[in-house]
Amino acid sequence: MWWENAVVYQVYPRSFQDSDGDGVGDLRGIAERLDHLAWLGVDALWLSPFYPSPMHDFGYDVSDYKGVDPVFGTLDDFDALVAAARERGLRVLLDLVPCHTSIEHPWFSEHPDWYIWADEPNNWLSAFGGSAWSKRNGRYYLHSFYPEQPDLDWRNPDVIAAMQDALEFWIDRGAAGYRIDAIDRLLKDPGLRDDPPATEAFGLPLSAKEEKLALTHSRNAPDTPEALRRIREAVDGALLVGEVYLPSAKWQPYLEHLDAAFAFELLHASWDADALRRAIEATTRRPGAAWVLSNHDFGRLVTRFGAENARSAAMMLLTLPGPAFLYQGDEIGQGDGPGGQCEFDRAGRDRYRHPMQWDASPAGGFTTGEPWLPAVDAERTNVEAQREDPRSMLSLVRDLLTLRRLLGEGIELLDAAPGVLAYRRGDHSIAINTTAEERPAPLDGELVLETEPGALRGRALAPHTAAVAMGLHLPPMG
Ligand code: GLC
């Protein structure tokens, strides 16, 4: 399978490259920048939604599943992008948003029975806070996210047929698969019973209100695999990666029909060797993990783990077994925006979505116009400068993409000093010092790659560094 060890680069179309000077990224802009992705050595790109949308959730509120929003371009631009990607050996994955449409999708007024209604709200919570129910014409409709995103009823055969049609549409135009949005919310309790009080921890971070409830009825219904089967049936052979916001122990029903699920336990682990090890152990107990440490919802490596750890985080992400997803800007160690301004996204995620920084100019080469969000630190951190510098984060990421093709199957977690995460992949061993002190590291054989020159000092790693070595496994000394 082409994707089994693939690196998929996440493009947030709004913020990648603007081609027409309106300050918003677009499909032509993405096509113009494909050489960067080919040079970097990724296998595929995943495009966050570019479908027509009133943009209450920046495209995750779709008002037409078979079109391109004018701000992003046209269907012809999409076809040209896929063709240009193909020429460079890159596959294109799209974002399928099946759980809800935009409230402005014609379906909502034309086919109200395609949605979920109640006479009175139950206690289900929206992911963005507050009740998951809003009133319309005297009744309540369900919205697991913003009120502008009404949930579809996946037990209605017409909904399934319409969604299958959309799925096929893009595969026929050359898409290689889908990242499927919020898939654990696809099916809910048909009786709309209240979520009971929580008796155990959910296993992933939740809001304070959500934590009090066992989220057993508002999501993850037992007949989910049947709906996933219908998705798979429409696009047999395509890669399907689920955004399953559940601990990996609950993935099994999803992996009956999807190829992989995002490993949220690792994404949420703190930068601490024990926590990282526990998350990797739990997740690799079964196949199906798609690794991800950053995206448009949670922010970038530099901000999440600290600038001093960003290179080590990239090394970990790109040396684990299985597909890895790299968010745009992380290859240069671009940081998140200042935050707290919350101009566009009510859930406060603007800061994760500032434009990609291509060069040192004020708008970072992203646009010739006024960018919809300013560049964060283009003068200091940009692709152009880092391409020339063999010590840059960009050069490290490129080297990691080459190296990962040589790593052996599977993973063996190694015993290591406190604060050091270490594992073996065939002949290669990888060690990451998560602490601010020098620590011994179980790296055998010859040094292959280090996060910075001089990271490996004899058999110890400098503070906040990581390295890969290759050679025979030596028994521990003493
Ligand atoms: C997913 C997306 C997020 C969006 C939500 C609702 O979690 O990643 O950006 O807001 O689904 O569609």
Side-chain angles (χ1 to χ4, degrees):
M1 291 295 179
W2 69 266
W3 50 265
E4 272 174 2
N5 197 33
V7 174
V8 180
Y9 185 98
Q10 181 188 356
V11 170
Y12 193 70
R14 208 176 172 78
S15 305
F16 194 59
Q17 179 63 50
D18 174 21
S19 73
D20 58 9
D22 68 354
V24 174
D26 45 48
L27 297 182
R28 282 188 188 203
I30 299 169
E32 282 170 17
R33 293 294 189 182
L34 285 179
D35 283 335
H36 170 66
L37 301 188
W39 173 85
L40 194 59
V42 302
D43 302 279
L45 48 153
W46 148 36
L47 305 174
S48 280
F50 53 75
Y51 318 110
S53 164
M55 305 287 170
H56 293 292
D57 192 10
F58 277 139
Y60 286 95
D61 47 331
V62 179
S63 57
D64 172 6
Y65 284 89
K66 299 199 291 186
V68 175
D69 194 279
V71 80
F72 296 126
T74 63
L75 275 174
D76 285 345
D77 293 339
F78 176 79
D79 294 341
L81 171 58
V82 170
R86 271 215 183 117
E87 272 168 31
R88 291 162 178 82
L90 297 166
R91 290 179 163 89
V92 178
L93 302 179
L94 305 196
D95 208 315
L96 174 73
V97 189
C99 307
H100 46 261
T101 66
S102 158
I103 199 159
E104 289 174 38
H105 196 299
W107 295 346
F108 192 63
S109 46
E110 288 167 16
H111 303 288
D113 58 313
W114 289 16
Y115 295 81
I116 299 175
W117 297 86
D119 292 330
E120 288 300 327
N122 62 15
N123 75 347
W124 296 356
L125 295 168
S126 138
F128 296 135
S131 169
W133 298 90
S134 287
K135 208 166 189 174
R136 183 88 167 205
N137 302 332
R139 295 190 78 201
Y140 291 86
Y141 66 90
L142 180 68
H143 53 84
S144 294
F145 293 88
Y146 288 129
E148 293 88 348
Q149 294 167 299
D151 282 28
L152 285 163
D153 178 5
W154 269 78
R155 293 191 184 92
N156 182 326
D158 294 337
V159 168
I160 296 176
M163 212 49 91
Q164 285 185 326
D165 179 44
L167 275 154
E168 288 166 19
F169 179 81
W170 298 104
I171 299 293
D172 290 347
R173 291 193 104 94
Y178 291 94
R179 172 263 190 191
I180 310 185
D181 189 67
I183 192 77
D184 49 292
R185 306 267 192 160
L186 198 61
L187 286 159
K188 302 95 184 168
D189 178 44
L192 306 179
R193 284 173 289 176
D194 275 350
D195 276 331
T199 51
E200 55 185 57
F202 181 71
L204 292 173
L206 294 171
S207 70
K209 279 193 174 165
E210 284 173 317
E211 266 177 6
K212 296 205 174 84
L213 297 171
L215 304 167
T216 41
H217 294 321
S218 57
R219 64 185 74 183
N220 194 25
D223 53 341
T224 302
E226 174 52 18
L228 299 177
R229 187 182 68 75
R230 305 303 304 278
I231 290 180
R232 170 56 80 197
E233 169 184 278
V235 292
D236 202 19
L239 170 63
L240 297 177
V241 181
E243 188 202 20
V244 185
Y245 199 74
L246 293 170
S248 52
K250 296 197 171 155
W251 283 356
Q252 200 277 327
Y254 293 83
L255 294 180
E256 279 176 34
H257 300 289
L258 306 183
D259 298 298
F262 286 130
F264 280 107
E265 280 147 303
L266 187 66
L267 181 142
H268 285 299
S270 53
W271 193 250
D272 160 81
D274 277 345
L276 298 170
R277 183 185 170 120
R278 273 197 306 277
I280 294 170
E281 243 169 3
T283 312
T284 52
R285 217 163 274 153
R286 55 194 76 72
W291 304 106
V292 57
L293 293 178
S294 54
N295 63 30
H296 64 291
D297 293 327
F298 297 106
R300 294 196 172 85
L301 299 179
V302 162
T303 321
R304 304 206 58 228
F305 302 114
E308 69 283 15
N309 296 314
R311 289 169 176 235
S312 301
M315 186 173 274
M316 179 178 78
L317 174 69
L318 297 170
T319 55
L320 290 170
F325 282 64
L326 183 70
Y327 185 38
Q328 67 179 48
D330 271 335
E331 74 273 38
I332 53 170
Q334 186 174 324
D336 291 335
Q341 298 169 332
C342 200
E343 288 171 48
F344 296 101
D345 180 49
R346 279 125 68 195
R349 295 169 295 177
D350 288 352
R351 60 188 192 274
Y352 314 140
R353 301 168 179 184
H354 285 255
M356 180 72 191
Q357 298 173 174
W358 299 102
D359 61 39
S361 65
F366 162 68
T367 180
T368 52
E370 189 63 36
W372 75 281
L373 279 178
V376 176
D377 59 351
E379 210 186 302
R380 202 160 47 103
T381 309
N382 65 71
V383 172
E384 196 175 73
Q386 292 197 19
R387 264 186 82 135
E388 307 306 319
D389 177 2
R391 293 177 167 206
S392 68
M393 176 133 176
L394 182 59
S395 298
L396 172 71
V397 168
R398 190 167 183 243
D399 290 346
L400 281 165
L401 283 165
T402 307
L403 171 68
R404 67 181 267 118
R405 299 180 194 280
L406 308 173
L407 302 177
E409 298 248 314
I411 182 168
E412 181 196 342
L413 286 152
L414 303 175
D415 291 332
V420 176
L421 171 70
Y423 45 93
R424 180 182 301 287
R425 306 259 337 259
D427 290 341
H428 288 83
S429 44
I430 297 110
I432 298 169
N433 178 4
T434 63
T435 76
E437 294 145 31
E438 185 174 298
R439 290 284 157 95
L443 289 169
D444 301 316
E446 259 177 68
L447 176 66
V448 176
L449 192 59
E450 47 189 355
T451 48
E452 59 190 62
L456 191 63
R457 304 168 175 171
R459 282 177 57 90
L461 277 172
H464 302 298
T465 64
V468 180
M470 189 185 80
L472 286 179
H473 177 44
L474 304 175
M477 291 195 287

